[in-house]
Amino acid sequence: MTGIAVASFVAFGTLLVLFGANAAEISRALSLDYADLGLLGSMLSLGLGLGILGAGPLADRLPRRALFVSSCGVVLGATLLLGPETSYRELLVLMVAIGFGAGFYETVLNALIIEAFGEDAGRRLLFIHSGAPLAACIVPILVDGARVGLGTEWYTTFRIAGLIHVPLVLAAFFVPMDARRVEPGNEGHLDRSQDSDPVRPAERGSDRLALISICIATFAYVGVESAVTIFIADHVLIDLGFGSARAAATISAFWGGLLAGRLGAGLSPRSPAAGTVALLSLAGAALVLASGLGWIRVPELAIGGAGLVLGGVFPILIGLAGTARPSSAGMAVGLAGGMGSLGGFIVPWCTGRLARGLGLPVAIAALSGWLLLLVAAALAARSRRGVVS
């Protein structure tokens, strides 16, 4: 189960970063400004949110294998439809479809891991979610190399990312993917199917206010992550005057930092929780602000450092969401992830409009404000749950 989960998050991370890695080419091909580009990136997050919210309740009720295979099929179909004749309107729709499928299978996997590992799920999720930044720190460099060396078109890279999901579909038939079925109010009674993994009964009651705080935190985090991925390449190219290789390297530095931060949090001797999230997010806000205002002139250093301190934030929040509502882990993960994707829709759109009016450096610096919202929400969750690290 862990193997296919890591591989799936590698595919998921590839999809997350492909748009940012191809942003300049897509802008030129379709004659887009920053607001149009921000909306296009937001549509991917909208699809992610719809997929996550849809998968949450279904993952608590329907066979997970069928859900996983179907959602991978949606991603495959949408990416293969992209081509040289794809219009801006068509691309908006297809980005929603790609996001929907990816968000759906991500949530199915998150629910499975939370059920299987209970209170230890947060640490396990840190390692599994590391597959996403692992792919995301490598893919921009590969895309730039393929574009410069082979003349690969932007839509071809999306098609390749879709085909990666074919072996995931095949692997799904050889691993257990239905851990349990738990009805609300019966947390201690587990229905184990023949292909189920051993799971633990929930050890805590539900905490609605903690879940709300976690959802606000995921909203802010995913919004910033998406906006940085979409806009940082243009900032490096246009505002800082570096070449495409440096722009690709900056995206890779951000996701490489996320990977290192995620692994570091997972290897911590103490289980990280809401207090850790608040401290890391505060440091991330300072680095993003410094990058946008030009206080740190090496973009790989500033953005890579931001990725490093923010790396563990999202998996920790997802783990906390599952333990905040243990009777419906899928629903809780879906709500937290769905709010994150809503942030991924709103924050890049706002950033694009701000960039059009005041310039991209100001818009990037303003992302620090969203991270301060994350800090406040994490502290609120900490006060409710009493989980400090």
Side-chain angles (χ1 to χ4, degrees), residues 196-275:
S196 65
D197 291 331
V199 296
R200 305 174 185 179
E203 297 176 11
R204 294 182 177 179
S206 296
D207 190 330
R208 183 173 299 177
L209 292 179
L211 182 58
I212 291 172
S213 298
I214 292 165
C215 287
I216 294 172
T218 59
F219 173 95
Y221 171 80
V222 177
V224 171
E225 180 189 275
S226 300
V228 168
T229 302
I230 293 168
F231 291 108
I232 196 62
D234 268 11
H235 175 58
V236 173
L237 281 167
I238 297 171
D239 300 314
L240 301 182
F242 296 121
S244 64
R246 290 289 297 276
T250 302
I251 298 177
S252 294
F254 177 62
W255 285 92
L258 289 173
L259 172 62
R262 203 157 286 182
L263 292 174
L267 293 172
S268 171
R270 298 183 62 187
S271 296

Side-chain angles (χ1 to χ4, degrees), residues 22 25 142-143 145-157 160:
N22 288 291
E25 285 64 38
L142 294 179
V143 169
R147 181 170 53 244
V148 174
L150 303 174
T152 304
E153 300 289 348
W154 66 268
Y155 49 82
T156 302
T157 64
I160 295 171

Side-chain angles (χ1 to χ4, degrees), residues 52 56 106-107 110-111 114 211 318-319 321-322 328-338:
I52 291 168
E106 175 205 15
T107 304
N110 282 333
I114 288 171
L211 182 58
I318 291 297
S328 303
M331 177 69 77
V333 168
L335 287 172

Side-chain angles (χ1 to χ4, degrees), residues 6-358:
V6 172
S8 297
F9 272 92
V10 169
F12 180 78
T14 300
L15 294 172
L16 287 182
V17 81
L18 267 185
F19 179 71
N22 288 291
E25 285 64 38
I26 295 173
S27 294
R28 284 196 290 267
L30 301 178
S31 301
L32 307 180
D33 62 16
Y34 283 138
D36 294 329
L37 189 65
L39 178 60
L40 191 56
S42 293
M43 296 307 283
L44 176 65
S45 292
L46 175 62
L48 285 167
L50 293 174
I52 291 168
L53 289 173
L58 293 179
D60 287 330
R61 293 170 175 82
L62 299 179
R64 277 71 177 279
R65 182 177 290 107
L67 295 176
F68 179 82
V69 169
S70 299
S71 55
C72 286
V74 171
V75 173
L76 177 61
T79 53
L80 292 180
L81 286 173
L82 291 169
E85 303 302 321
T86 301
S87 68
Y88 179 63
R89 290 181 180 273
E90 291 169 339
L91 186 55
L92 288 173
V93 174
L94 290 174
M95 292 299 273
V96 173
I98 292 169
F100 179 86
F104 204 103
Y105 71 67
E106 175 205 15
T107 304
V108 170
L109 292 170
N110 282 333
L112 281 169
I113 297 302
I114 288 171
E115 289 177 355
F117 295 96
E119 294 295 318
D120 296 327
R123 187 183 297 274
R124 183 58 63 108
L125 285 171
L126 282 165
F127 290 108
I128 289 174
H129 280 233
S130 294
L134 174 63
C137 70
I138 297 172
V139 167
I141 296 174
L142 294 179
V143 169
D144 183 68
R147 181 170 53 244
V148 174
L150 303 174
T152 304
E153 300 289 348
W154 66 268
Y155 49 82
T156 302
T157 64
F158 277 88
R159 291 174 176 176
I160 295 171
L163 291 172
I164 292 174
H165 291 74
V166 173
L168 296 179
V169 169
L170 297 177
F173 292 96
F174 297 94
V175 297
M177 299 195 75
D178 288 292
R180 70 172 183 176
R181 297 288 182 269
V182 181
E183 298 298 328
N186 294 307
E187 295 92 336
H189 304 283
L190 306 181
D191 178 18
R192 304 174 188 269
S193 61
Q194 288 184 347
D195 63 342
S196 65
D197 291 331
V199 296
R200 305 174 185 179
E203 297 176 11
R204 294 182 177 179
S206 296
D207 190 330
R208 183 173 299 177
L209 292 179
L211 182 58
I212 291 172
S213 298
I214 292 165
C215 287
I216 294 172
T218 59
F219 173 95
Y221 171 80
V222 177
V224 171
E225 180 189 275
S226 300
V228 168
T229 302
I230 293 168
F231 291 108
I232 196 62
D234 268 11
H235 175 58
V236 173
L237 281 167
I238 297 171
D239 300 314
L240 301 182
F242 296 121
S244 64
R246 290 289 297 276
T250 302
I251 298 177
S252 294
F254 177 62
W255 285 92
L258 289 173
L259 172 62
R262 203 157 286 182
L263 292 174
L267 293 172
S268 171
R270 298 183 62 187
S271 296
T276 302
V277 168
L279 290 173
L280 293 175
S281 301
L282 185 61
L287 286 166
V288 169
L289 179 65
S291 177
L293 296 179
W295 295 344
I296 301 176
R297 297 295 298 173
V298 181
E300 298 93 335
L301 178 62
I303 297 302
L308 179 65
V309 296
L310 293 173
V313 167
F314 188 71
I316 295 171
L317 291 172
I318 291 297
L320 291 175
T323 57
R325 192 175 176 85
S327 61
S328 303
M331 177 69 77
V333 168
L335 287 172
M339 281 296 293
S341 294
L342 179 63
F345 176 82
I346 291 176
V347 174
W349 180 76
C350 292
T351 303
R353 294 188 67 84
L354 189 60
R356 185 166 66 180
L358 299 177

